[in-house]
Coordinates of all heavy atoms in Angstrom, one line a residue:
M1 N -8.9 -14.0 -20.0 CA -7.9 -13.0 -19.5 C -6.8 -13.8 -18.8 O -7.0 -14.7 -18.1 CB -8.5 -12.0 -18.6 CG -9.5 -11.1 -19.2 SD -9.8 -9.7 -18.1 CE -10.2 -8.5 -19.2
C2 N -5.6 -13.3 -19.0 CA -4.5 -14.0 -18.3 C -4.4 -13.6 -16.9 O -4.8 -12.5 -16.5 CB -3.2 -13.7 -19.1 SG -2.9 -12.0 -19.5
S3 N -3.8 -14.4 -16.1 CA -3.7 -14.2 -14.6 C -2.8 -13.1 -14.2 O -3.0 -12.5 -13.2 CB -3.4 -15.5 -13.9 OG -2.1 -15.9 -14.3
H4 N -1.8 -12.9 -15.0 CA -0.8 -11.8 -14.6 C -1.4 -10.4 -14.9 O -0.9 -9.4 -14.4 CB 0.5 -12.0 -15.3 CG 0.5 -11.8 -16.7 ND1 0.1 -12.8 -17.6 CD2 0.9 -10.8 -17.5 CE1 0.2 -12.3 -18.8 NE2 0.7 -11.1 -18.8
M5 N -2.3 -10.3 -15.8 CA -3.1 -9.1 -16.2 C -2.3 -7.8 -15.9 O -2.6 -7.0 -15.0 CB -4.4 -9.1 -15.5 CG -5.4 -8.2 -16.2 SD -7.0 -8.2 -15.5 CE -7.6 -9.8 -15.7
E6 N -1.3 -7.5 -16.7 CA -0.7 -6.2 -16.7 C -0.1 -5.9 -15.4 O -0.1 -4.7 -15.0 CB -1.6 -5.1 -17.2 CG -2.3 -5.3 -18.5 CD -1.3 -5.3 -19.7 OE1 -0.3 -4.5 -19.6 OE2 -1.5 -6.0 -20.6
Q7 N 0.4 -6.8 -14.6 CA 1.0 -6.5 -13.3 C 2.1 -5.6 -13.3 O 2.3 -4.8 -12.4 CB 1.4 -7.8 -12.6 CG 0.2 -8.7 -12.2 CD 0.6 -9.9 -11.5 OE1 1.7 -10.1 -11.0 NE2 -0.3 -10.8 -11.3
G8 N 2.9 -5.6 -14.4 CA 4.1 -4.7 -14.4 C 3.8 -3.4 -15.0 O 4.7 -2.5 -14.9
K9 N 2.6 -3.1 -15.5 CA 2.4 -1.8 -16.2 C 2.1 -0.7 -15.2 O 1.4 -1.0 -14.2 CB 1.2 -2.0 -17.1 CG 0.9 -0.8 -18.0 CD 0.0 -1.0 -19.1 CE -0.1 0.3 -19.9 NZ -1.0 0.2 -21.0
T10 N 2.6 0.4 -15.4 CA 2.3 1.6 -14.6 C 1.8 2.7 -15.4 O 2.0 2.7 -16.6 CB 3.6 2.1 -13.9 OG1 4.5 2.4 -14.9 CG2 4.2 1.0 -12.9
R11 N 1.0 3.6 -14.8 CA 0.5 4.8 -15.4 C 0.9 6.0 -14.5 O 1.1 5.8 -13.3 CB -1.0 4.7 -15.6 CG -1.3 3.7 -16.7 CD -2.8 3.7 -17.1 NE -3.1 5.0 -17.7 CZ -4.4 5.4 -17.9 NH1 -5.4 4.5 -17.7 NH2 -4.7 6.5 -18.5
E12 N 0.9 7.2 -15.1 CA 1.3 8.4 -14.4 C 0.0 9.0 -13.8 O -1.0 9.1 -14.4 CB 1.9 9.4 -15.3 CG 3.3 9.1 -15.7 CD 4.0 10.2 -16.4 OE1 3.5 11.3 -16.5 OE2 5.1 10.0 -16.9
C13 N 0.2 9.5 -12.5 CA -0.9 10.3 -11.9 C -1.2 11.5 -12.8 O -0.3 12.2 -13.3 CB -0.4 10.8 -10.5 SG -1.6 11.9 -9.7
G14 N -2.5 11.8 -13.0 CA -2.9 12.9 -13.8 C -2.4 14.3 -13.3 O -2.4 15.3 -14.1
D15 N -2.1 14.4 -12.0 CA -1.7 15.7 -11.5 C -0.2 15.8 -11.2 O 0.5 16.7 -11.8 CB -2.4 16.0 -10.2 CG -3.8 16.6 -10.4 OD1 -4.1 17.0 -11.5 OD2 -4.6 16.5 -9.4
C16 N 0.3 14.9 -10.4 CA 1.7 15.0 -10.0 C 2.7 14.2 -10.8 O 3.9 14.4 -10.7 CB 1.9 14.6 -8.5 SG 1.7 12.9 -8.2
G17 N 2.2 13.3 -11.7 CA 3.1 12.5 -12.5 C 3.7 11.3 -11.9 O 4.5 10.6 -12.5
K18 N 3.4 11.1 -10.6 CA 3.9 9.9 -9.9 C 3.4 8.6 -10.6 O 2.3 8.5 -11.0 CB 3.4 9.9 -8.4 CG 3.7 8.8 -7.6 CD 3.1 9.0 -6.2 CE 3.3 7.8 -5.3 NZ 2.7 7.9 -4.0
L19 N 4.3 7.6 -10.7 CA 4.0 6.4 -11.3 C 3.1 5.6 -10.4 O 3.4 5.4 -9.2 CB 5.2 5.6 -11.7 CG 6.0 6.2 -12.8 CD1 7.3 5.3 -13.1 CD2 5.2 6.3 -14.1
I20 N 2.0 5.0 -10.9 CA 1.0 4.2 -10.2 C 1.0 2.8 -10.8 O 0.6 2.7 -11.9 CB -0.4 4.8 -10.2 CG1 -0.4 6.3 -9.8 CG2 -1.4 4.0 -9.4 CD1 -1.7 7.0 -10.2
P21 N 1.5 1.8 -10.1 CA 1.4 0.5 -10.6 C -0.1 0.0 -10.6 O -0.9 0.4 -9.7 CB 2.2 -0.3 -9.6 CG 3.0 0.6 -8.8 CD 2.2 1.9 -8.8
F22 N -0.4 -0.9 -11.5 CA -1.7 -1.5 -11.6 C -2.2 -2.1 -10.2 O -3.3 -2.0 -9.8 CB -1.8 -2.5 -12.7 CG -3.2 -3.1 -12.9 CD1 -4.3 -2.3 -13.3 CD2 -3.4 -4.4 -12.6 CE1 -5.5 -2.9 -13.4 CE2 -4.6 -5.0 -12.8 CZ -5.7 -4.2 -13.2
Q23 N -1.2 -2.8 -9.6 CA -1.6 -3.5 -8.3 C -2.0 -2.5 -7.2 O -2.9 -2.7 -6.4 CB -0.4 -4.3 -7.8 CG -0.1 -5.5 -8.7 CD -1.4 -6.4 -8.8 OE1 -2.1 -6.7 -7.9 NE2 -1.6 -7.0 -10.0
I24 N -1.4 -1.3 -7.2 CA -1.7 -0.2 -6.3 C -3.1 0.3 -6.6 O -4.0 0.5 -5.8 CB -0.7 0.9 -6.3 CG1 0.6 0.4 -5.8 CG2 -1.2 2.1 -5.4 CD1 0.7 -0.2 -4.4
F25 N -3.4 0.4 -7.9 CA -4.7 0.9 -8.4 C -5.8 -0.1 -7.9 O -6.8 0.3 -7.4 CB -4.7 1.0 -9.9 CG -6.1 1.4 -10.5 CD1 -6.5 2.7 -10.4 CD2 -6.8 0.4 -11.1 CE1 -7.8 3.0 -11.0 CE2 -8.1 0.8 -11.7 CZ -8.5 2.1 -11.6
L26 N -5.5 -1.4 -8.0 CA -6.4 -2.4 -7.5 C -6.6 -2.3 -6.0 O -7.7 -2.4 -5.5 CB -5.9 -3.8 -7.9 CG -6.1 -4.4 -9.3 CD1 -5.4 -5.7 -9.4 CD2 -7.6 -4.5 -9.6
R27 N -5.5 -2.2 -5.3 CA -5.6 -2.1 -3.8 C -6.4 -0.9 -3.4 O -7.2 -1.0 -2.4 CB -4.2 -2.0 -3.3 CG -4.1 -1.9 -1.7 CD -2.9 -1.4 -1.2 NE -2.9 0.1 -1.5 CZ -1.8 0.8 -1.4 NH1 -0.6 0.3 -1.1 NH2 -1.9 2.1 -1.7
D28 N -6.3 0.2 -4.1 CA -7.0 1.4 -3.7 C -8.4 1.5 -4.1 O -9.2 2.4 -3.8 CB -6.3 2.7 -4.2 CG -4.9 2.9 -3.5 OD1 -4.7 2.2 -2.4 OD2 -4.1 3.6 -4.0
N29 N -8.9 0.5 -4.9 CA -10.2 0.4 -5.4 C -10.8 -1.0 -5.2 O -11.1 -1.7 -6.2 CB -10.3 0.8 -6.9 CG -9.8 2.2 -7.2 OD1 -10.6 3.1 -6.9 ND2 -8.6 2.4 -7.6
P30 N -11.0 -1.4 -3.9 CA -11.4 -2.7 -3.7 C -12.8 -3.1 -4.1 O -13.1 -4.3 -4.2 CB -11.3 -2.8 -2.1 CG -11.5 -1.4 -1.7 CD -10.8 -0.6 -2.7
T31 N -13.6 -2.1 -4.4 CA -15.0 -2.4 -4.8 C -15.1 -2.7 -6.3 O -16.2 -3.1 -6.8 CB -16.0 -1.3 -4.5 OG1 -15.5 -0.1 -5.1 CG2 -16.0 -1.0 -3.0
I32 N -14.1 -2.5 -7.0 CA -14.1 -2.7 -8.5 C -13.6 -4.1 -8.8 O -12.5 -4.5 -8.2 CB -13.2 -1.7 -9.2 CG1 -13.7 -0.3 -8.9 CG2 -13.1 -1.9 -10.7 CD1 -12.8 0.8 -9.5
S33 N -14.3 -4.8 -9.6 CA -13.8 -6.2 -10.0 C -12.5 -6.1 -10.8 O -12.2 -5.0 -11.4 CB -14.9 -6.9 -10.9 OG -14.9 -6.3 -12.2
M34 N -11.8 -7.2 -10.9 CA -10.5 -7.2 -11.6 C -10.7 -6.9 -13.1 O -10.0 -6.1 -13.6 CB -9.9 -8.6 -11.5 CG -8.7 -8.8 -12.3 SD -7.2 -8.0 -11.7 CE -6.6 -9.2 -10.6
E35 N -11.8 -7.4 -13.7 CA -12.0 -7.1 -15.1 C -12.3 -5.6 -15.3 O -11.9 -5.0 -16.3 CB -13.2 -8.0 -15.6 CG -12.8 -9.4 -15.8 CD -13.9 -10.2 -16.3 OE1 -14.7 -9.7 -17.1 OE2 -13.9 -11.4 -16.0
R36 N -13.2 -5.1 -14.4 CA -13.6 -3.6 -14.6 C -12.3 -2.8 -14.3 O -12.1 -1.8 -15.1 CB -14.7 -3.3 -13.6 CG -15.1 -1.9 -13.6 CD -15.9 -1.6 -14.8 NE -16.3 -0.2 -14.8 CZ -16.3 0.7 -15.8 NH1 -15.8 0.3 -17.0 NH2 -16.7 1.9 -15.7
A37 N -11.5 -3.1 -13.4 CA -10.3 -2.3 -13.1 C -9.4 -2.4 -14.3 O -8.8 -1.4 -14.7 CB -9.6 -2.9 -11.8
H38 N -9.2 -3.5 -14.9 CA -8.4 -3.7 -16.1 C -8.9 -2.8 -17.2 O -8.1 -2.1 -17.9 CB -8.3 -5.1 -16.5 CG -7.3 -5.3 -17.6 ND1 -7.8 -5.5 -18.9 CD2 -6.0 -5.4 -17.7 CE1 -6.7 -5.6 -19.7 NE2 -5.6 -5.6 -19.0
D39 N -10.2 -2.8 -17.4 CA -10.8 -2.0 -18.5 C -10.6 -0.5 -18.2 O -10.3 0.3 -19.1 CB -12.3 -2.2 -18.6 CG -12.7 -3.6 -19.1 OD1 -11.8 -4.2 -19.7 OD2 -13.8 -4.0 -19.0
L40 N -10.7 -0.1 -17.0 CA -10.5 1.3 -16.6 C -9.0 1.7 -16.8 O -8.7 2.8 -17.3 CB -10.9 1.6 -15.2 CG -12.4 1.6 -14.9 CD1 -12.6 1.7 -13.4 CD2 -13.1 2.7 -15.6
W41 N -8.2 0.8 -16.4 CA -6.7 1.0 -16.5 C -6.3 1.2 -17.9 O -5.4 2.0 -18.2 CB -6.0 -0.2 -15.8 CG -4.5 0.1 -15.6 CD1 -3.5 -0.5 -16.3 CD2 -3.9 0.9 -14.6 NE1 -2.3 -0.1 -15.8 CE2 -2.5 0.8 -14.8 CE3 -4.4 1.7 -13.6 CZ2 -1.6 1.5 -14.0 CZ3 -3.5 2.4 -12.8 CH2 -2.2 2.3 -13.0
E42 N -6.9 0.4 -18.8 CA -6.5 0.4 -20.3 C -7.2 1.5 -21.0 O -6.7 1.8 -22.1 CB -6.8 -0.9 -20.9 CG -5.9 -2.1 -20.4 CD -4.4 -1.8 -20.7 OE1 -4.1 -1.4 -21.8 OE2 -3.6 -2.1 -19.8
D43 N -8.2 2.2 -20.5 CA -8.9 3.2 -21.2 C -8.1 4.5 -21.3 O -7.7 5.1 -20.2 CB -10.2 3.5 -20.5 CG -11.2 4.4 -21.3 OD1 -10.6 5.3 -22.1 OD2 -12.4 4.3 -21.1
P44 N -7.7 5.0 -22.5 CA -6.9 6.1 -22.6 C -7.6 7.4 -22.2 O -6.9 8.4 -21.9 CB -6.5 6.2 -24.1 CG -7.6 5.4 -24.7 CD -8.1 4.4 -23.8
F45 N -8.9 7.4 -22.0 CA -9.7 8.6 -21.6 C -9.9 8.7 -20.1 O -10.3 9.7 -19.6 CB -11.0 8.6 -22.3 CG -10.9 8.7 -23.8 CD1 -11.2 7.7 -24.6 CD2 -10.4 9.9 -24.4 CE1 -11.0 7.7 -26.0 CE2 -10.3 10.0 -25.8 CZ -10.6 8.9 -26.6
I46 N -9.5 7.7 -19.4 CA -9.6 7.7 -17.9 C -8.2 8.1 -17.4 O -7.2 7.5 -17.7 CB -9.9 6.3 -17.4 CG1 -11.3 5.8 -17.9 CG2 -9.9 6.3 -15.8 CD1 -12.5 6.5 -17.4
I47 N -8.2 9.1 -16.5 CA -7.0 9.6 -16.0 C -6.9 9.1 -14.5 O -7.7 9.4 -13.7 CB -7.0 11.2 -15.9 CG1 -7.1 11.7 -17.4 CG2 -5.7 11.7 -15.3 CD1 -7.4 13.2 -17.4
P48 N -5.8 8.3 -14.3 CA -5.7 7.9 -12.9 C -5.0 8.9 -12.0 O -4.2 9.7 -12.5 CB -4.8 6.6 -13.0 CG -4.0 6.9 -14.3 CD -4.9 7.7 -15.2
Y49 N -5.3 8.9 -10.7 CA -4.7 9.8 -9.8 C -4.2 9.0 -8.6 O -4.8 8.1 -8.2 CB -5.7 10.9 -9.3 CG -6.2 11.8 -10.3 CD1 -7.4 11.6 -10.9 CD2 -5.5 12.9 -10.8 CE1 -7.9 12.4 -12.0 CE2 -5.9 13.7 -11.8 CZ -7.1 13.5 -12.3 OH -7.6 14.3 -13.3
C50 N -3.0 9.4 -8.1 CA -2.5 8.8 -6.9 C -3.5 9.2 -5.7 O -4.2 10.2 -5.9 CB -1.1 9.3 -6.6 SG -0.9 11.0 -6.1
P51 N -3.5 8.5 -4.6 CA -4.5 8.8 -3.6 C -4.4 10.2 -3.0 O -5.4 10.9 -2.8 CB -4.1 7.8 -2.5 CG -3.5 6.7 -3.2 CD -2.8 7.3 -4.3
E52 N -3.2 10.8 -2.9 CA -3.0 12.1 -2.4 C -3.7 13.2 -3.4 O -4.4 14.0 -2.9 CB -1.5 12.5 -2.3 CG -0.8 11.7 -1.2 CD -0.4 10.3 -1.7 OE1 -0.2 10.1 -2.9 OE2 -0.2 9.4 -0.8
C53 N -3.4 13.0 -4.7 CA -4.0 14.0 -5.6 C -5.5 13.8 -5.8 O -6.3 14.7 -6.0 CB -3.3 13.8 -7.0 SG -1.6 14.4 -7.0
F54 N -6.0 12.5 -5.7 CA -7.4 12.2 -5.8 C -8.2 13.0 -4.7 O -9.2 13.5 -5.0 CB -7.6 10.7 -5.7 CG -9.1 10.3 -5.7 CD1 -9.7 10.2 -6.9 CD2 -9.8 10.0 -4.6 CE1 -11.1 9.9 -7.0 CE2 -11.1 9.7 -4.6 CZ -11.8 9.6 -5.8
L55 N -7.7 13.0 -3.5 CA -8.4 13.6 -2.4 C -8.3 15.1 -2.5 O -9.1 15.8 -1.9 CB -7.9 13.1 -1.1 CG -8.1 11.7 -0.8 CD1 -7.4 11.2 0.5 CD2 -9.6 11.4 -0.7
K56 N -7.4 15.7 -3.3 CA -7.3 17.1 -3.5 C -8.0 17.7 -4.7 O -8.0 18.9 -5.0 CB -5.8 17.5 -3.6 CG -5.0 17.2 -2.3 CD -3.5 17.5 -2.5 CE -2.7 17.2 -1.3 NZ -1.3 17.3 -1.6
R57 N -8.6 16.8 -5.5 CA -9.3 17.2 -6.7 C -10.4 18.2 -6.4 O -11.1 18.0 -5.5 CB -9.9 16.0 -7.5 CG -8.9 15.0 -8.0 CD -8.0 15.5 -9.0 NE -8.7 16.0 -10.2 CZ -8.2 16.8 -11.0 NH1 -7.0 17.3 -10.9 NH2 -9.0 17.3 -12.0
P58 N -10.5 19.3 -7.2 CA -11.5 20.3 -6.9 C -13.0 19.8 -7.2 O -13.9 20.3 -6.6 CB -11.2 21.4 -7.9 CG -10.4 20.8 -9.0 CD -9.7 19.6 -8.3
E59 N -13.1 18.7 -8.0 CA -14.4 18.2 -8.3 C -15.0 17.4 -7.1 O -16.2 17.1 -7.1 CB -14.4 17.2 -9.5 CG -13.9 17.8 -10.7 CD -12.4 17.6 -10.9 OE1 -11.8 16.7 -10.4 OE2 -11.8 18.4 -11.6
K60 N -14.2 17.0 -6.1 CA -14.6 16.2 -5.0 C -15.4 15.0 -5.5 O -16.6 14.9 -5.3 CB -15.5 17.0 -4.0 CG -14.8 18.2 -3.4 CD -13.7 17.8 -2.5 CE -13.0 19.0 -1.9 NZ -11.7 18.7 -1.4
P61 N -14.8 14.0 -6.1 CA -15.4 12.9 -6.7 C -16.0 11.9 -5.7 O -16.6 10.9 -6.0 CB -14.3 12.2 -7.5 CG -13.1 12.6 -6.8 CD -13.3 14.0 -6.3
Y62 N -15.8 12.2 -4.4 CA -16.3 11.4 -3.3 C -17.3 12.2 -2.5 O -17.3 13.4 -2.5 CB -15.2 10.8 -2.5 CG -14.4 11.9 -1.8 CD1 -14.7 12.4 -0.6 CD2 -13.3 12.6 -2.5 CE1 -14.0 13.4 0.0 CE2 -12.6 13.6 -1.9 CZ -13.0 14.0 -0.7 OH -12.3 15.0 -0.1
R63 N -18.1 11.5 -1.7 CA -19.0 12.2 -0.9 C -18.6 12.0 0.6 O -18.4 10.9 1.1 CB -20.4 11.6 -1.1 CG -21.5 12.4 -0.4 CD -22.8 11.8 -0.8 NE -23.9 12.5 -0.2 CZ -25.1 12.4 -0.4 NH1 -25.5 11.4 -1.2 NH2 -26.0 13.0 0.3
R64 N -18.4 13.1 1.3 CA -18.0 13.0 2.7 C -19.3 12.7 3.5 O -20.4 13.2 3.3 CB -17.5 14.3 3.2 CG -16.1 14.6 2.7 CD -15.6 15.8 3.4 NE -14.2 16.0 2.9 CZ -13.4 16.9 3.4 NH1 -13.8 17.7 4.4 NH2 -12.2 17.1 2.9
R65 N -19.0 11.8 4.5 CA -20.1 11.5 5.4 C -20.3 12.6 6.4 O -19.3 13.1 7.0 CB -19.8 10.2 6.2 CG -19.9 9.0 5.4 CD -19.8 7.8 6.2 NE -20.4 6.7 5.5 CZ -20.5 5.5 6.1 NH1 -20.0 5.2 7.3 NH2 -21.0 4.5 5.4
R66 N -21.5 13.0 6.6 CA -21.8 14.0 7.6 C -22.6 13.4 8.8 O -23.5 12.6 8.5 CB -22.7 15.1 7.0 CG -21.9 15.9 5.9 CD -22.8 17.0 5.5 NE -22.2 17.7 4.4 CZ -22.6 18.8 3.8 NH1 -23.8 19.3 4.2 NH2 -22.0 19.4 2.8
R67 N -22.3 13.9 9.9 CA -23.0 13.4 11.1 C -24.2 14.4 11.3 O -24.0 15.6 11.3 CB -22.2 13.3 12.3 CG -21.1 12.2 12.2 CD -20.4 12.1 13.5 NE -19.5 11.0 13.4 CZ -18.8 10.5 14.4 NH1 -18.9 11.1 15.6 NH2 -18.0 9.5 14.2
F68 N -25.3 13.8 11.5 CA -26.5 14.6 11.7 C -26.8 14.7 13.2 O -27.0 13.6 13.8 CB -27.7 14.1 10.9 CG -28.9 15.0 10.9 CD1 -28.9 16.1 10.1 CD2 -30.0 14.8 11.7 CE1 -30.0 17.0 10.1 CE2 -31.0 15.6 11.8 CZ -31.1 16.7 11.0
N69 N -26.9 15.8 13.7 CA -27.1 16.0 15.2 C -28.6 16.3 15.4 O -29.1 17.4 15.1 CB -26.3 17.1 15.8 CG -26.3 17.1 17.3 OD1 -27.3 16.6 17.9 ND2 -25.3 17.7 17.9
Y70 N -29.4 15.3 15.8 CA -30.8 15.5 16.0 C -31.1 16.5 17.1 O -32.1 17.2 17.1 CB -31.5 14.2 16.3 CG -31.5 13.3 15.1 CD1 -30.6 12.2 15.0 CD2 -32.5 13.5 14.1 CE1 -30.6 11.4 13.9 CE2 -32.5 12.6 13.0 CZ -31.5 11.6 12.9 OH -31.6 10.8 11.8
N71 N -30.2 16.6 18.1 CA -30.5 17.6 19.2 C -30.5 19.0 18.6 O -31.3 19.8 19.1 CB -29.4 17.5 20.2 CG -29.5 16.2 21.0 OD1 -30.6 15.6 21.2 ND2 -28.4 15.7 21.5
N72 N -29.6 19.4 17.7 CA -29.6 20.7 17.1 C -30.9 20.9 16.4 O -31.4 22.0 16.4 CB -28.4 20.9 16.2 CG -27.1 21.1 17.0 OD1 -27.2 21.3 18.2 ND2 -26.0 20.9 16.3
R73 N -31.4 19.9 15.7 CA -32.6 20.1 14.9 C -33.8 20.3 15.9 O -34.7 21.1 15.6 CB -32.9 18.8 14.1 CG -34.0 19.0 13.1 CD -34.1 17.9 12.2 NE -35.2 18.1 11.3 CZ -35.6 17.2 10.4 NH1 -35.0 16.1 10.3 NH2 -36.6 17.5 9.6
L74 N -33.9 19.6 17.0 CA -34.9 19.8 17.9 C -34.9 21.2 18.5 O -35.9 21.8 18.7 CB -34.8 18.7 19.0 CG -35.1 17.3 18.6 CD1 -34.9 16.4 19.8 CD2 -36.6 17.2 18.2
K75 N -33.7 21.7 18.8 CA -33.6 23.1 19.4 C -34.1 24.1 18.4 O -34.6 25.1 18.8 CB -32.1 23.4 19.7 CG -31.6 22.6 20.9 CD -30.1 22.9 21.1 CE -29.6 22.0 22.2 NZ -28.1 22.2 22.4
M76 N -33.9 23.9 17.1 CA -34.4 24.8 16.1 C -35.9 24.9 16.1 O -36.4 26.0 15.7 CB -33.8 24.4 14.7 CG -32.3 24.5 14.6 SD -31.8 23.8 13.1 CE -31.5 25.2 12.1
R77 N -36.6 23.9 16.4 CA -38.0 23.8 16.3 C -38.7 24.5 17.5 O -39.8 24.9 17.5 CB -38.5 22.4 16.2 CG -38.3 21.8 14.9 CD -38.9 20.5 14.8 NE -38.7 19.9 13.4 CZ -39.3 18.8 13.0 NH1 -40.0 18.1 13.8 NH2 -39.1 18.4 11.8
I78 N -37.9 24.5 18.6 CA -38.5 25.0 19.9 C -38.5 26.5 19.9 O -37.7 27.2 19.4 CB -37.7 24.5 21.1 CG1 -37.9 23.0 21.1 CG2 -38.2 25.1 22.4 CD1 -37.2 22.3 22.2

């Protein structure tokens, strides 16, 4: 793979149409390797979303962390 790997290519957000550069996609997905990110970016069936639209998606593709309060659980048993 070449080192510049589509640096100038942009795609549109699936909701708002905002242009998303590949470098921003990489920045916002630090756990994905460069090769995997490139494969996802080039896949015509994968719809990219800007961060704002991604967090508003009705599917909730992420899992929110919940804090568990053990004190409330103990009160329920008493």
Side-chain angles (χ1 to χ4, degrees):
M1 294 193 150
C2 45
S3 61
H4 69 281
M5 203 177 293
E6 304 295 326
Q7 288 183 12
K9 188 166 182 182
T10 59
R11 290 190 60 190
E12 287 186 7
C13 171
D15 280 344
C16 70
K18 177 180 172 182
L19 292 178
I20 308 166
F22 180 67
Q23 292 302 321
I24 299 298
F25 178 75
L26 280 177
R27 182 200 69 193
D28 292 345
N29 296 284
T31 59
I32 300 174
S33 71
M34 175 72 90
E35 289 182 29
R36 179 72 177 135
H38 185 261
D39 290 344
L40 290 171
W41 192 254
E42 292 298 319
D43 190 330
F45 296 107
I46 301 291
I47 301 170
Y49 295 99
C50 68
E52 294 81 22
C53 291
F54 177 80
L55 294 174
K56 293 176 186 175
R57 296 294 304 156
E59 300 92 25
K60 299 293 182 199
Y62 60 93
R63 188 174 180 175
R64 288 189 177 184
R65 286 187 160 184
R66 294 185 185 184
R67 291 187 176 185
F68 189 77
N69 190 338
Y70 290 100
N71 291 330
N72 286 343
R73 187 171 181 188
L74 290 173
K75 289 177 186 176
M76 295 170 103
R77 289 186 174 185
I78 297 175

